[in-house]
Amino acid sequence: MMTERFTVPGDPSRIAGLFRILQDVSGHAAACWHASGPELMEKGLMWVVTRYELSLDRALIPGEALDITTWASPVRHMLSQRNYLLADAGGLSLGRAAGSWALVDRETRAMVDWTGRLDAFETEVTGLELPRPAAPEKLEPQFSRVFTVPASWLDMNGHMNNTRYFDLAQTCIAPEADGLVLKTVRAAFLSEALAGDALTVSWARRDNLWSFSGVKNDAHCFRLSLEFA
């Protein structure tokens, strides 16, 4: 387990900002075992998130301390679950999260067996883990738009950064969801989105739940669901 302290962004309603923090703490934890993004790149490998789930207990307050504890679960079916506990400075729980992480060959873009690929990588079972990240809620689409992926949204792996999907989703539903308190996030990343790709993004609303999907070349690229209190 590793714990780091962060500061809640000035606009905590921006979901991507919170996931960028989770992305940072994941990178710092992996670096402890010589498995950071740059270190994997030297081996022709990369980390890829296939699913995320986040559940918050209350609204986050801009500027407040945010302690995140993270650890990795043992590898199963070529995936390891990275777990996160969120707490305030006094140790009071703010929520939990989990992500399914795969080790992927940079050239073939295929998942690979972890055996012998990493020099060392600590995993543990604590009993505090969320179950495997659940699939996003699906609603019949009500609205849609075409979005072209800008090069500025790519990460070091050459595809659209996972956090940018949340930026895209919130842009689609603003100002309807502005000011609402985030409760649950579920995301599934199904295929890569590259610079210049045209995604058909569809979404729908049921009460305070929004469902999103993105299609590229007639195949689903991502699915998201955002639930607000």
Side-chain angles (χ1 to χ4, degrees):
M1 276 188 165
M2 184 187 82
T3 301
E4 279 195 271
R5 174 161 292 182
F6 296 84
T7 299
V8 175
D11 183 3
S13 68
R14 297 306 301 178
I15 299 167
L18 181 54
F19 277 91
R20 288 185 187 108
I21 290 176
L22 296 184
Q23 195 173 72
D24 287 345
V25 74
S26 301
H28 299 161
C32 294
W33 303 99
H34 307 292
S36 66
E39 289 168 308
L40 287 187
M41 184 181 292
E42 293 179 1
K43 299 179 179 181
L45 302 170
M46 62 183 182
W47 290 117
V48 170
V49 183
T50 61
R51 279 193 184 184
Y52 262 138
E53 181 170 355
L54 167 71
S55 178
L56 293 178
D57 299 330
R58 67 158 172 83
L60 302 182
I61 302 170
E64 74 173 323
L66 176 62
D67 288 342
I68 299 182
T69 300
T70 186
W71 68 102
S73 299
V75 178
R76 293 186 60 197
H77 307 299
M78 301 174 73
L79 294 171
S80 176
Q81 178 168 306
R82 178 154 290 282
N83 309 284
Y84 312 87
L85 299 179
L86 286 66
D88 64 14
L92 186 66
S93 173
L94 296 176
R96 295 195 298 169
S100 296
W101 290 71
L103 201 57
V104 170
D105 185 287
R106 295 186 68 86
E107 184 174 346
T108 66
R109 313 307 254 194
M111 290 196 303
V112 299
D113 189 345
W114 293 46
T115 307
R117 300 281 185 164
L118 302 178
D119 297 331
F121 198 77
E122 183 178 276
T123 62
E124 56 185 310
V125 177
T126 67
L128 300 173
E129 296 84 3
L130 280 173
R132 179 176 180 269
E137 297 272 2
K138 294 181 184 180
L139 300 176
E140 192 66 29
Q142 299 168 337
F143 313 97
S144 68
R145 61 170 286 195
V146 175
F147 172 77
T148 301
V149 179
S152 60
W153 280 25
L154 305 187
D155 60 20
M156 65 184 297
N157 295 323
H159 54 216
M160 184 163 147
N161 188 282
N162 295 101
T163 66
R164 289 298 190 175
Y165 291 93
F166 303 114
D167 282 325
L168 175 57
Q170 282 199 280
T171 299
C172 289
I173 62 176
E176 284 182 275
D178 289 352
L180 297 181
V181 176
L182 183 65
K183 182 179 179 182
T184 305
V185 176
R186 290 175 178 165
F189 306 108
L190 307 172
S191 65
E192 295 182 295
L194 309 177
D197 281 346
L199 307 182
T200 300
V201 182
S202 302
W203 66 96
R205 178 182 183 179
R206 185 186 67 216
D207 299 324
N208 283 336
L209 172 73
W210 276 266
S211 170
F212 304 83
S213 66
V215 173
K216 181 182 79 169
N217 298 331
D218 298 323
H220 276 95
C221 180
F222 74 93
R223 291 188 183 275
L224 296 176
S225 62
L226 307 176
E227 184 180 9
F228 297 86

